Amino acid sequence: MIKFNMRTINELVLNGQKFLEAGNFDEALGYFEQALFLDQNNPDLWNFKAITLRSLGRYEEALECFNRSLGIDPRDRNAS
């Protein structure tokens, strides 16, 4: 079992969200992908990546990420 630092993941997500809100989608994607590298079983991380990909017009990849989120948590209401 690999241990990861939740603080690191949270920092990556916060940075990703800042770039996402600023419209810098490429930068945001990089942060969300780094967070996913550390924790691939977090549906929220998959949602953030999906939202970013959708913003970049990469719809098929976004759909795959939303589906990945739903595969982890079928009740996930954020996977839109």
Side-chain angles (χ1 to χ4, degrees):
M1 180 176 184
I2 298 173
K3 291 186 179 184
F4 51 86
N5 184 337
M6 281 303 294
R7 182 175 177 183
T8 301
I9 292 173
N10 290 338
E11 289 171 3
L12 290 168
V13 170
L14 287 174
N15 284 326
Q17 288 175 311
K18 286 182 205 174
F19 283 109
L20 182 63
E21 290 170 9
N24 191 337
F25 306 125
D26 289 318
E27 283 290 325
L29 184 59
Y31 281 103
F32 296 137
E33 287 179 335
Q34 288 178 60
L36 276 166
F37 179 76
L38 298 173
D39 183 8
Q40 294 188 2
N41 293 314
N42 183 327
D44 293 332
L45 299 179
W46 286 107
N47 280 328
F48 284 127
K49 182 176 179 180
I51 291 165
T52 306
L53 287 167
R54 183 176 62 192
S55 298
L56 287 165
R58 294 165 59 180
Y59 302 114
E60 278 188 45
E61 292 171 89
L63 184 58
E64 289 173 18
C65 291
F66 282 130
N67 286 335
R68 201 67 197 264
S69 175
L70 288 169
I72 295 166
D73 183 0
R75 298 167 295 164
D76 186 0
R77 295 175 189 184
N78 294 318
S80 53

